[in-house]
């Protein structure tokens, strides 16, 4: 794959589109469109003309949390990234080091180094269980156990002294990585589809594929007969190690959304997920019979080419780094050759990567295509 050569740093989107020049809005990003291995170049504002009446967009309504909070272990400064709230009230967290420029880097020890990634330099932090982190407002966090046997990047931690959501609301800020230019207000990290959760839950990182949508664009889509239905999936913090698959995440597919998706599948329309999070939610709610049913809870589904997709016909997504597990999901939807071709073109065309960057619309080929779900197993 061409992108195995790496994505040049200058292709990282450092500020949101609306801050790149006067009069620009969120939809002032580029849109790469794939239909099989055929690729074309557009502006995101052209999206309504690229879809058809009867198509259906599945959007993630999870709001973004101010999930980064400063803390201290003894006299050492740390930044806590709150990833996911467990059913037992504990939080999955990642401890990181401030880098002095408003972002963070992975905590270091003398262990082996893995490939540098989005979240840091990839070295694992040697943090013992029982470590206490002091947070603002008198809150304390005690690390109890690693989230999984994969390593110690994420820990289950129990808070005391204050509710975590209160701490985030009063002292948190959006998680920010070093390729961005400066801190941004939380509103910059909310999509037009974000809705408050009854229990205050949300995503550690923005479901960014929906970021370019504006109210004006949504109105145009609806006026052209394109349906939009909601699902929810609260995202955790991004993988800091190459090839790290996603952790279990909380999701919900409402009954009304399931009915609409099934109706479109029974007709001539196409189901297009807005973001890999929407794919994970919808495919988690799809049975072996291909029927989507209302569902909520935790999903550990990892969509790969071997697993395939049962419901999703197309995908609107950002541009992902070479080792990101998201690329396997793209291959499940479009096939390896199509993803390779699109990313070659994105690099050649100097498209911008990451949450403030350009987006990629994957549509099915117009000609009949083979079944893509032969390898499914439940």
């Amino acid at each position: 794959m061409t992108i195995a050569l790496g994505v040049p740093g200058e292709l990282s989107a450092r500020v949101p589109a609306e801050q790149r020049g006067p009069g620009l809005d969120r939809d002032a990003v580029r849109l790469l469109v794939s239909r099989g291995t055929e690729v074309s170049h557009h502006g995101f504002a052209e999206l309504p003309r690229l879809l058809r009446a009867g198509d259906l967009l599945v959007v993630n309504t999870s709001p973004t949390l101010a999930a980064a909070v400063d803390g201290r272990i003894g006299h050492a400064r740390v930044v806590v990234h709150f990833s996911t709230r467990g059913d037992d009230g504990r939080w999955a967290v990642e401890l990181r080091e401030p880098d002095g420029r408003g972002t963070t880097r992975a905590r270091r020890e003398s262990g082996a180094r893995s490939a540098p990634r989005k979240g840091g330099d990839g070295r694992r932090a040697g943090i013992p269980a029982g470590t206490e982190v002091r947070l603002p407002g008198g809150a304390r966090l005690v690390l109890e156990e690693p989230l999984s046997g994969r390593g110690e990047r994420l820990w289950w931690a129990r808070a005391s002294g204050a509710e975590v959501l209160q701490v985030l609301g009063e002292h948190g800020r959006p998680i920010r990585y070093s390729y961005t230019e400066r801190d941004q207000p939380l509103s910059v990290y909310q999509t037009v589809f974000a809705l408050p959760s009854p229990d205050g839950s949300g995503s550690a990182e923005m479901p960014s594929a929906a970021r370019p949508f504006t109210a004006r664009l949504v109105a145009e889509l609806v006026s052209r007969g394109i349906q939009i239905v909601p699902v929810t999936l609260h995202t955790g913090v991004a993988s800091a190690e190459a090839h790290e698959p996603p952790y279990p995440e909380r999701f919900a597919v409402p009954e009304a959304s399931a009915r609409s998706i099934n109706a479109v599948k029974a007709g001539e329309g196409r189901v297009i997920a807005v973001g890999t999070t929407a794919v994970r939610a919808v495919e988690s709610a799809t049975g072996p019979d291909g029927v989507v049913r209302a569902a909520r809870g935790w999903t550990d589904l990892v969509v790969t080419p071997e697993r395939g997709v049962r419901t999703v016909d197309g995908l609107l997504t950002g541009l992902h780094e070479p080792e990101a597990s998201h690329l396997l999901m793209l291959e499940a939807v479009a096939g390896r050759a199509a993803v390779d071709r699109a990313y070659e073109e994105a690099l050649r065309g100097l498209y911008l990567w990451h949450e403030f960057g350009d987006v990629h619309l994957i549509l099915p080929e117009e000609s009949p295509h083979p079944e893509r779900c032969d390898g499914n197993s439940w």
Side-chain angles (χ1 to χ4, degrees):
M1 176 177 278
T2 300
I3 57 173
L5 298 175
V7 179
E10 60 268 28
L11 295 187
S12 293
R14 297 176 59 79
V15 296
E18 64 271 23
Q19 296 179 16
R20 296 176 197 152
L24 298 179
D25 206 340
R26 289 182 172 215
D27 57 6
V29 297
R30 300 170 71 191
L31 177 64
L32 186 73
V33 178
S34 294
R35 293 181 176 85
T37 55
E38 296 294 322
V39 178
S40 57
H41 302 270
H42 304 268
F44 187 76
E46 297 177 65
L47 179 67
R49 294 194 293 104
L50 296 167
L51 302 179
R52 303 192 299 241
D55 285 345
L56 180 146
L57 295 176
V58 183
V59 301
N60 184 2
T61 61
S62 177
T64 308
L65 299 174
V69 179
D70 294 325
R72 287 187 179 274
I73 299 176
H75 296 292
R77 296 175 59 205
V78 296
V79 177
V80 183
H81 285 182
F82 287 86
S83 178
T84 306
R85 181 168 61 183
D87 293 334
D88 60 0
R90 296 187 298 176
W91 281 78
V93 302
E94 180 183 19
L95 301 188
R96 300 177 64 83
E97 293 179 349
D99 72 354
R101 298 187 298 275
T103 63
T104 62
R105 55 179 177 258
R107 283 172 58 80
R108 299 183 178 192
E109 63 171 358
S110 57
R113 180 190 291 267
S114 58
R117 300 295 307 119
K118 173 182 178 181
D121 66 2
R123 283 183 286 191
R124 302 288 181 87
I127 308 170
T131 296
E132 182 179 274
V133 183
R134 302 196 308 278
L135 300 174
R140 293 176 183 272
L141 200 63
V142 175
L143 307 187
E144 294 192 341
E145 58 181 327
L147 183 67
S148 76
R150 297 176 202 158
E152 298 176 354
R153 184 173 75 87
L154 288 166
W155 283 78
W156 282 118
R158 193 174 298 278
S160 61
E163 293 292 331
V164 168
L165 289 175
Q166 179 183 350
V167 174
L168 300 187
E170 295 178 356
H171 305 284
R173 61 184 180 276
I175 290 174
R176 176 193 158 206
Y177 292 111
S178 58
Y179 51 77
T180 58
E181 185 174 290
R182 55 182 176 270
D183 285 343
Q184 301 282 351
L186 184 60
S187 59
V188 167
Y189 288 87
Q190 304 293 6
T191 74
V192 71
F193 304 112
L195 294 172
S197 299
D199 63 356
S201 297
S203 290
E205 297 185 358
M206 175 175 58
S208 57
R211 192 184 187 282
F213 285 84
T214 63
R216 180 185 62 250
L217 190 78
V218 170
E220 184 177 353
L221 286 164
V222 173
S223 72
R224 288 176 174 266
I226 297 156
Q227 301 179 64
I228 300 174
V229 299
V231 298
T232 301
L233 186 138
H234 299 313
T235 71
V237 295
S239 167
E241 283 79 29
H243 305 298
E244 185 176 282
Y247 290 90
E249 295 170 314
R250 296 172 66 184
F251 81 106
V253 175
E255 175 66 34
S257 296
R259 284 200 304 268
S260 296
I261 293 169
N262 291 329
V264 167
K265 294 295 290 183
E268 299 295 323
R270 301 170 294 185
V271 175
I272 299 165
V274 178
T276 56
T277 60
V279 175
R280 198 181 198 196
V282 169
E283 293 294 327
S284 297
T286 306
D289 56 0
V291 175
V292 181
R293 297 175 175 85
R296 66 173 54 245
W298 292 86
T299 178
D300 59 0
L301 177 66
V302 179
V303 178
T304 63
E306 291 74 25
R307 190 271 182 191
V309 288
R310 295 172 175 158
T311 296
V312 171
D313 299 302
L315 171 62
L316 179 71
T317 181
L319 293 163
H320 301 285
E321 295 176 75
E323 300 86 358
S325 61
H326 296 86
L327 286 180
L328 295 177
M329 182 182 289
L330 269 60
E331 291 181 19
V333 175
R336 176 67 178 269
V339 175
D340 280 359
R341 177 73 183 90
Y343 273 69
E344 289 171 1
E345 194 66 17
L347 285 171
R348 185 178 298 113
L350 303 180
Y351 277 68
L352 296 180
W353 257 250
H354 303 310
E355 65 267 35
F356 298 143
D358 299 313
V359 284
H360 179 202
L361 175 63
I362 298 171
L363 294 174
E365 294 180 86
E366 295 298 325
S367 56
H369 53 74
E371 295 293 332
R372 290 166 294 146
C373 202
D374 293 342
N376 282 351
S377 61
W378 265 45

